[in-house]
Amino acid sequence: MRDTLIILLMKIANFILKILGKQGGNVLGKIAKKLSPNILSTFNINCPVIAVTATNGKTMTNNAIASMLRQAGKHVICNTEGNNMETGILSMFLKTCSLTGKLKADYICLEVDESYVPIVFSKIHLDTLIVLDFFRDQLDRNGEVESLILKLEEFLKTYQGNLILNQDDPNVVRLGYANPQNSKVYYFHAEAYCHATKEITEAGEGKFCPLCKTRLMYDYYQYSHIGKFHCPNCEYGKQESYVTASNIDLEGKEFIANGIPFTMQSESIYVVYNFLAVISVANLYHIDIEDVQKALSTFELNKGRLEKLTIQGVPTIINLAKNPTGSNVSLRLLREDPEPKELLFVLNDKIADGFDVSWIWDINFNELGQVQRIITSGTRAYDMAIRIKTSGYPINIIEAELDLNKAVHKLYQTNVKKYIIANYTALEPTRKEILTLEKELGK
Amino acid sequence: MKEIRILYLYPDMLELYGDYGNLQVLKYRMEKRDIQVIIDRYSIGDPKPDFLSYDLIFAGGGADNEQSILAKDLLQYEEEIKEAVRQKVFFLLICGAYQLFGKYYKGVEGNIIPGLAIFDYYTEASTDRTKRCIGNIVIEVNIGEKQTKVIGFENHGGQTHGITTPFGKVLFGNGNQFKDTQEGFFLPHVIATYLHGPLLAKNPEIADYVISTCLTRKYEEKMDLLKLDDELEEKCRKQLLVRFIPVEKQ
């Protein structure tokens, strides 16, 4: 009785906020949880819940799954904006549920923060969990990757639902062993793309077999520690794949999965991996493959994620990178682009970024091709400039500018193609600055 | 051409906080001065390295799990490493490696990981797993004949006790223990510290101290290092010192 009353009150509060033109963010969830800690478990859900967790790629994959299901005519509830902790999900439920707490949908798609998976799904029945990857990420905030994996393993020991795992991340495959009773484990895998390497070129995790502690062997690395691996001593890494990508052509923005051709809007290897997760979901829920093809071919990433803009007539690509792997996949685009270009890297060290910027030394800045000028900005502009300088770039092509507005103006003094990488709190302000610049000059 | 040989211990296991950056900085600063740098790597399963053939031995910080695996491997070289310390090979030890050169590391559950016991200090994890010394840190060090401030980042649960010759005095941050006044361990040819960042990135004076100490030992003459363009480093230090330390204390 009490929870239904709280839901009703929150619905009214939401209605008032809406009239006032306010979003409310996580506020509703925070209040509701304070009033009743277990309120998340009282919603009436009569459809499959599909969740995505990972270090990188949660938002993109979750939104792509929702768009694929919608393409197939399904009604989907989804935390599109990336509110991926308990109160964020709760807020979204409160906004979308009926007055009696019913969530009417064919599917509920959630991206969930790695450490919140056990909490959220002790309260909601989970039908399918997708785990994409584990990378080092803001160690001062999140702790070591290992402790996150252990938390998930503990949760999965009793989990009975579908488990979709990235077969090319040894830390993720570990999770497939958590509950030997659960046979519903599905792996997706990608064959080597043209820039895959024999040796690891970027920082990675999980070099040892979790079963027998032997050093893992790799046939190839796609990026970071993602690639085809196996244990020379035991069966680890020899799972059967549920979905396999082949003929990956990033320039042509296409690949083949289980013999079926797919096209996409992006030219990044990690988008292929995220899409393999989407295709796995589609196969499990028997979604018409044409709908999947159509959804993926038109799927647009969120703003600031591999976003292509034209500023002052200059082609510009802006991408979020909040950890070494995110930065490395962005820099791969530079490396794989033969044209002359300039780079702006904006690095902040605010609370949401993590205070520790040591991770920038795990970024691989080698051989960026024809980079003619590098500008750094953000609260840690100098740290970034020193980092890049140490990789051997001439000091006279590197400029550090703490003031973002000035940095952006300096960047557009030339008409060479721009690549912009920004970390978490730096992304929106950076985007805003370049869009403002475009408007100013348009006048 | 002068040459400095570096042994990098457990590069694939002690590499959590970008500590390899220290070697990138050393390499950069030596190559700018026409000193050839050779970096050899040693990890579990590799043939035994000849510790005495190196001018500098470096190791960084790692995840707890990996640290306990490699501690066993490291201990088999106890005698060789002791001899290298006696012969004043330079040791640069960050975080986990700093701990492993002490007597022992006692984990949260009371488990003891024996160290090399080359130095007298020892480390015990804070009993509360959620409590760690995390944050920016500034220490004041006397190195060579100079006094300088060293800027870095610390992230450690271990509390290190029994230090008589610290690396520096804490001006901002925690240090060897929660709210400590001292940080790290120092001998003229040993720098052992919790500072990531990496340590040498924003502290070129420390980098040059390491380089000149190695050169002096190897070539048995004191050498002046060519001055490099450290404008970015100087600006970075200025910006961060203002941020972390009140003006009156600077």
Side-chain angles (χ1 to χ4, degrees):
Chain A
M1 185 61 203
R2 209 179 146 207
D3 281 347
T4 43
L5 189 67
I6 295 169
I7 290 174
L8 197 62
L9 282 172
M10 292 302 121
K11 295 291 303 177
I12 296 167
N14 185 42
F15 184 68
I16 296 169
L17 283 172
K18 239 186 192 166
I19 293 175
L20 297 172
K22 297 213 161 112
Q23 278 284 324
N26 291 351
V27 176
L28 293 178
K30 279 188 185 154
I31 299 171
K33 189 174 183 289
K34 204 149 201 191
L35 294 171
S36 171
N38 269 322
I39 191 159
L40 194 60
S41 61
T42 56
F43 289 89
N44 184 351
I45 299 172
N46 289 315
C47 67
V49 175
I50 301 170
V52 184
T53 196
T55 308
N56 290 348
K58 292 184 281 281
T59 308
M60 184 200 302
T61 307
N62 186 46
N63 291 352
I65 291 169
S67 106
M68 174 270 291
L69 292 168
R70 283 178 184 138
Q71 180 69 43
K74 310 291 181 192
H75 179 52
V76 182
I77 293 176
C78 171
N79 57 345
T80 321
E81 296 302 321
N83 296 325
N84 59 23
M85 299 188 194
E86 188 184 0
T87 50
I89 291 165
L90 188 51
S91 294
M92 191 272 284
F93 277 8
L94 287 166
K95 286 176 197 171
T96 37
C97 73
S98 72
L99 291 174
T100 54
K102 192 169 162 58
L103 287 159
K104 288 177 220 155
D106 298 317
Y107 292 93
I108 294 176
C109 296
L110 299 173
E111 69 156 282
V112 186
D113 181 274
E114 306 94 287
S115 57
Y116 277 86
V117 167
I119 300 166
V120 170
F121 298 110
S122 65
K123 299 173 182 175
I124 304 171
H125 176 77
L126 178 61
D127 202 53
T128 297
L129 178 68
I130 300 138
V131 187
L132 301 171
D133 51 53
F134 290 110
F135 299 113
R136 56 185 63 182
D137 180 38
Q138 303 179 9
L139 293 164
D140 57 321
R141 298 184 73 216
N142 300 335
E144 293 166 5
V145 170
E146 179 68 20
S147 62
L148 280 178
I149 298 171
L150 289 175
K151 266 189 207 171
L152 272 176
E153 254 176 353
E154 193 57 37
F155 165 76
L156 290 172
K157 275 180 190 167
T158 53
Y159 172 70
Q160 305 278 354
N162 300 314
L163 187 58
I164 297 177
L165 301 176
N166 181 351
Q167 194 175 354
D168 296 343
D169 183 339
N171 287 318
V172 171
V173 172
R174 252 173 89 172
L175 300 176
Y177 290 76
N179 181 3
Q181 312 300 323
N182 188 0
S183 59
K184 294 185 283 183
V185 183
Y186 305 92
Y187 295 94
F188 59 87
H189 156 72
E191 289 180 4
Y193 88 118
C194 71
H195 294 285
T197 52
K198 286 274 167 214
E199 301 292 329
I200 191 161
T201 57
E202 297 152 359
E205 316 300 317
K207 285 136 191 145
F208 296 88
C209 174
L211 304 183
C212 72
K213 306 281 175 211
T214 309
R215 192 184 295 269
L216 295 172
M217 309 275 282
Y218 271 78
D219 292 353
Y220 54 85
Y221 293 89
Q222 308 272 38
Y223 68 99
S224 187
H225 64 260
I226 304 295
K228 186 167 170 56
F229 69 91
H230 68 273
C231 175
N233 188 45
C234 72
E235 99 267 14
Y236 197 68
K238 296 174 187 107
Q239 289 77 11
E240 203 184 310
S241 314
Y242 181 62
V243 172
T244 303
S246 58
N247 302 69
I248 300 167
D249 173 8
L250 294 181
E251 228 174 295
K253 299 178 192 171
E254 57 188 24
F255 63 95
I256 289 171
N258 287 4
I260 297 156
F262 290 91
T263 58
M264 51 188 181
Q265 297 284 325
S266 317
E267 51 260 280
S268 172
I269 182 67
Y270 77 87
V271 177
V272 174
Y273 272 91
N274 294 344
F275 281 5
L276 291 178
V278 179
I279 295 163
S280 304
V281 172
N283 286 1
L284 266 182
Y285 291 98
H286 308 294
I287 303 297
D288 191 337
I289 207 68
E290 279 180 27
D291 289 326
V292 187
Q293 285 170 312
K294 199 162 177 196
L296 295 185
S297 70
T298 54
F299 181 76
E300 298 245 5
L301 306 181
N302 279 6
K303 293 194 168 64
R305 319 282 172 121
L306 288 175
E307 187 181 11
K308 287 177 189 155
L309 298 163
T310 304
I311 305 296
Q312 234 189 305
V314 181
T316 301
I317 296 173
I318 178 164
N319 198 20
L320 168 77
K322 46 186 179 177
N323 49 38
T325 301
S327 307
N328 285 331
V329 291
S330 295
L331 291 174
R332 270 174 184 264
L333 296 178
L334 263 80
R335 203 171 286 130
E336 291 162 14
D337 179 354
E339 284 176 44
K341 60 235 156 187
E342 295 180 344
L343 170 67
L344 168 65
F345 205 126
V346 190
L347 177 70
N348 279 348
D349 66 344
K350 301 187 175 161
I351 285 187
D353 302 305
F355 296 133
D356 188 4
V357 295
S358 308
W359 62 270
I360 62 175
W361 291 81
D362 280 335
I363 303 174
N364 177 8
F365 279 101
N366 294 338
E367 296 151 34
L368 294 182
Q370 292 195 52
V371 178
Q372 299 183 336
R373 206 158 57 112
I374 300 167
I375 298 176
T376 65
S377 189
T379 53
R380 289 295 194 130
Y382 291 119
D383 282 80
M384 195 40 126
I386 294 167
R387 166 67 192 94
I388 294 171
K389 167 187 137 174
T390 310
S391 274
Y393 294 92
I395 298 179
N396 60 16
I397 73 159
I398 305 170
E399 258 181 282
E401 175 55 70
L402 290 173
D403 185 307
L404 185 58
N405 178 276
K406 282 187 195 154
V408 165
H409 276 86
K410 275 185 189 163
L411 182 69
Y412 285 95
Q413 278 166 0
T414 65
N415 57 6
V416 181
K417 186 173 183 179
K418 315 293 181 200
Y419 279 86
I420 301 177
I421 301 175
N423 75 334
Y424 200 63
T425 67
L427 182 69
E428 259 322 293
T430 306
R431 232 184 133 256
K432 219 172 130 193
E433 285 293 347
I434 60 170
L435 292 174
T436 310
L437 183 75
E438 169 69 3
K439 263 191 224 154
E440 278 171 19
L441 290 151
K443 273 180 195 165
Chain B
M1 196 186 201
K2 298 209 161 52
E3 177 193 278
I4 289 294
R5 289 167 54 83
I6 300 176
L7 177 62
Y8 181 11
L9 292 176
Y10 307 105
D12 56 344
M13 300 175 85
L14 296 176
E15 47 79 71
L16 196 53
Y17 300 97
D19 294 323
Y20 171 63
N22 289 311
L23 294 190
Q24 287 174 275
V25 171
L26 287 174
K27 187 166 184 283
Y28 178 86
R29 298 185 75 82
M30 285 198 263
E31 285 176 350
K32 284 274 169 205
R33 288 147 169 160
D34 288 325
I35 300 162
Q36 199 184 346
V37 184
I38 294 163
I39 300 177
D40 288 337
R41 293 153 188 259
Y42 167 80
S43 194
I44 293 177
D46 292 339
K48 176 178 162 180
D50 178 5
F51 291 91
L52 290 174
S53 71
Y54 293 96
D55 305 300
L56 171 74
I57 296 178
F58 169 78
D64 283 352
N65 188 26
E66 270 143 12
Q67 222 152 285
S68 62
I69 298 177
L70 73 86
K72 273 188 213 137
D73 187 78
L74 185 64
L75 249 50
Q76 61 179 316
Y77 304 120
E78 196 182 320
E79 281 316 309
E80 287 88 343
I81 294 174
K82 271 187 183 150
E83 186 54 30
V85 173
R86 261 195 293 275
Q87 297 204 14
K88 297 198 164 46
V89 171
F90 203 103
F91 280 79
L92 179 58
L93 309 166
I94 312 291
C95 198
Y98 166 27
Q99 296 170 345
L100 284 167
F101 273 63
K103 287 199 273 197
Y104 64 85
Y105 176 86
K106 188 172 165 192
V108 185
E109 284 100 19
N111 56 311
I112 299 238
I113 302 175
L116 287 166
I118 289 177
F119 308 118
D120 279 343
Y121 57 79
Y122 57 96
T123 307
E124 298 187 345
S126 78
T127 43
D128 182 350
R129 197 188 289 272
T130 59
K131 274 183 92 183
R132 292 174 70 87
C133 301
I134 302 182
N136 289 298
I137 176 166
V138 182
I139 61 175
E140 190 156 65
V141 306
N142 289 299
I143 205 157
E145 282 105 48
K146 284 186 213 151
Q147 188 176 66
T148 182
K149 293 184 178 74
V150 178
I151 309 169
F153 194 93
E154 57 179 335
N155 185 350
H156 55 103
Q159 308 287 297
T160 300
H161 305 262
I163 299 273
T164 46
T165 53
F167 178 39
K169 188 178 100 188
V170 180
L171 301 179
F172 177 79
N174 284 294
N176 285 331
Q177 301 171 31
F178 287 113
K179 308 237 180 269
D180 205 343
T181 54
Q182 51 186 35
E183 203 291 325
F185 172 82
F186 179 80
L187 290 175
H189 61 288
V190 178
I191 294 177
T193 173
Y194 280 116
L195 268 65
H196 303 294
L199 170 73
L200 302 180
K202 288 185 282 285
N203 303 291
E205 276 186 294
I206 306 297
D208 284 356
Y209 171 81
V210 175
I211 294 168
S212 65
T213 308
C214 288
L215 287 172
T216 305
R217 173 182 169 272
K218 182 163 195 170
Y219 295 101
E220 296 178 330
E221 56 173 320
K222 186 138 176 61
M223 268 167 287
D224 286 324
L225 293 174
L226 183 76
K227 187 141 176 46
L228 299 182
D229 179 349
D230 288 335
E231 195 191 331
L232 286 171
E233 286 82 350
E234 279 156 22
K235 284 182 172 168
C236 187
R237 291 173 59 80
K238 212 171 153 193
Q239 177 215 0
L240 294 177
L241 286 174
V242 169
R243 231 179 93 176
F244 299 144
I245 300 176
V247 184
E248 64 273 13
K249 279 199 188 166
Q250 282 188 37

